[in-house]
């Protein structure tokens, strides 16, 4: 191999093989030096990194130790807080439990009391329900009675008879008595000091009134109103024609209305009918009005009875006055005897006073023995005190 042979021409300079080998060797040497330098630097860097890592590890261990101490302190503090919190929670739970228990007890007592009151009210409601049921049955029965004309008549007759029986003596009235013309009014009441009887009729026409109250429109109401007026006036006319007998019955009769509401509505909405009945000497009377009339009659009967017994009372008063005069005379005699005895007692008192005065006067005299003109040893008599 020829080392002097030209291998490359660069810029007009011939490069031989030897130059190329020398250049390659120099380059390799440079590269080797670079590699050694780089390796040394890398080792120095690794040593520095290791030292830095060791330093960091030491710092980390210190920090971990500090953190461990802090964690232990935090754990102890947390445990203390936990114990305190547990105690507070237990106390609060105990307080809450006590309050809840007390509240539940009070609530249970209140609930029991409320249930007892509710049971009592339910019992009252049950009793009221039974009363309502019974009343409903009675109302249905009453409605059935009032739906029948004969039953309505018997109902009005019964109420009228009950009022008469409760307020008059048995000899002062009679039911279904026959008059001289063959008619039989519902009741005749005997008037005091008069042979005439007062007639009471209990057959008020309730059918027309029921139709009037149940009318739903103006046409039916007007028709029912006219029917009611006609029925009432017809019955008033029948009473006037059948029961007014001169010398036997009173010139005024009473038509009994068995309901206060019917009586009130009759006077409120049918004043013309009432006035026409009055002109025919027929008076409407509800149960309360009839009771008032009967009680007034009873008072009149009692007054008449008192007047009938006036002569007896007068005789008794005369005898009472005689007894009073006799008592007065005897009282005068007794007073005279008392005056005489009083005079004698005064005289006795005067004599006793004189005797006492004389005794005091005698007792006040003190007589002592005198020696003047008396012989020795001579004693004179003296009064002994």
């Amino acid at each position: 191999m020829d080392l002097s042979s030209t291998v490359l021409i660069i810029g007009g300079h011939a490069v031989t093989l030897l130059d190329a080998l020398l250049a390659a060797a120099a380059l390799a040497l440079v590269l080797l030096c670079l590699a050694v330098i780089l390796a040394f630097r890398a080792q120095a860097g690794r040593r520095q990194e290791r030292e830095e890592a060791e330093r960091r590890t030491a710092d980390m261990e210190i920090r971990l130790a500090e953190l461990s101490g802090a964690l232990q302190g935090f754990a102890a503090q947390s445990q203390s807080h936990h114990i305190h919190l547990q105690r507070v929670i237990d106390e609060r739970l105990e307080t809450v439990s006590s309050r809840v228990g007390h509240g539940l007890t009070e609530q249970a007592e209140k609930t029991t009391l409320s249930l007892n009151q509710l049971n009592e009210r339910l019992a009252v409601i049950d009793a009221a329900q039974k009363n309502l049921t019974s009343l409903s049955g009675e109302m249905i029965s009453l409605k059935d009675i009032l739906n029948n004309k004969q039953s309505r008549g018997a109902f009005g007759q019964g109420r009228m008879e009950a009022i008469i029986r409760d307020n008059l003596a048995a000899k002062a009235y009679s039911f279904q008595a026959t008059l001289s013309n063959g008619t039989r009014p519902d009741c005749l009441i005997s008037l005091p000091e008069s042979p005439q009887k007062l007639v009471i009729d209990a057959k008020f026409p309730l059918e027309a009134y029921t139709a009037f109250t149940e009318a739903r429109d103006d046409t039916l109401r007007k028709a029912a109103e006219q029917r009611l007026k006609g029925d009432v006036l017809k019955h008033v006319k029948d009473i006037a024609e059948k029961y007014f007998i001169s010398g036997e019955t009173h010139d005024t009769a009473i038509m009994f209305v068995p309901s206060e509401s019917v009586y009130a509505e009759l006077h409120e909405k049918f004043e013309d009918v009432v006035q026409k009945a009055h002109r025919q000497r027929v008076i409407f009377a509800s149960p309360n009005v009839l009771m008032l009339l009967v009680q007034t009659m009873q008072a009149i009967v009692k007054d008449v009875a008192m007047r009938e017994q006036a002569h007896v009372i007068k005789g008794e008063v005369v005898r009472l006055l005689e007894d009073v005069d006799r008592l007065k005379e005897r009282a005068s005699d007794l007073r005279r005897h008392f005056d005489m005895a009083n005079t004698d007692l005064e005289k006795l008192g005067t004599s006793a006073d004189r005797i006492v005065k004389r005794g005091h006067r005698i007792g006040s005299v003190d007589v002592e023995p005198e020696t003047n003109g008396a012989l020795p040893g001579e004693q004179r008599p003296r009064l002994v005190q």
Side-chain angles (χ1 to χ4, degrees), residues 222-268:
K222 289 181 180 180
E225 181 178 350
Q226 294 300 323
R227 178 189 172 187
L228 178 59
K229 289 183 179 180
D231 290 350
V232 172
L233 291 177
K234 181 179 181 303
H235 194 60
V236 169
K237 182 179 179 182
D238 292 340
I239 292 174
E241 291 177 353
K242 293 191 296 184
Y243 300 142
F244 288 160
I245 302 174
S246 177
E248 185 176 356
T249 61
H250 197 271
D251 57 356
T252 301
I254 296 175
M255 181 190 293
F256 179 66
V257 182
S259 174
E260 297 291 340
S261 60
V262 176
Y263 177 81
E265 192 153 359
L266 192 65
H267 280 74
E268 181 180 358

Side-chain angles (χ1 to χ4, degrees), residues 125-267:
I125 292 173
D126 189 23
Q129 183 67 30
K130 291 180 180 178
N131 292 333
L132 288 175
T133 303
S134 176
L135 181 61
S136 178
E138 293 177 359
M139 291 299 295
I140 292 173
S141 176
L142 180 61
K143 183 178 179 180
D144 294 337
I145 291 173
L146 295 179
N147 284 333
N148 190 333
K149 182 178 180 179
Q150 295 180 352
S151 299
R152 282 197 299 271
F155 174 72
Q157 178 75 20
R159 294 200 68 182
M160 182 269 295
E161 291 181 0
I163 295 173
I164 298 298
R165 286 194 184 97
D166 292 340
N167 294 276
L168 284 180
K171 63 180 181 179
Y173 62 87
S174 60
F175 298 125
Q176 302 296 326
T178 303
L179 297 176
S180 60
N181 60 359
T183 57
R184 297 180 62 186
D186 295 323
C187 179
L188 289 176
I189 295 179
S190 301
L191 300 176
E193 298 181 347
S194 175
Q196 297 177 346
K197 308 290 184 180
L198 178 64
V199 175
I200 299 178
D201 186 274
K203 300 179 181 64
F204 184 82
L206 287 174
E207 300 89 346
Y209 178 78
T210 303
F212 174 74
T213 56
E214 294 178 353
R216 294 293 180 266
D217 54 25
D218 293 339
T219 304
L220 294 176
R221 183 175 291 274
K222 289 181 180 180
E225 181 178 350
Q226 294 300 323
R227 178 189 172 187
L228 178 59
K229 289 183 179 180
D231 290 350
V232 172
L233 291 177
K234 181 179 181 303
H235 194 60
V236 169
K237 182 179 179 182
D238 292 340
I239 292 174
E241 291 177 353
K242 293 191 296 184
Y243 300 142
F244 288 160
I245 302 174
S246 177
E248 185 176 356
T249 61
H250 197 271
D251 57 356
T252 301
I254 296 175
M255 181 190 293
F256 179 66
V257 182
S259 174
E260 297 291 340
S261 60
V262 176
Y263 177 81
E265 192 153 359
L266 192 65
H267 280 74

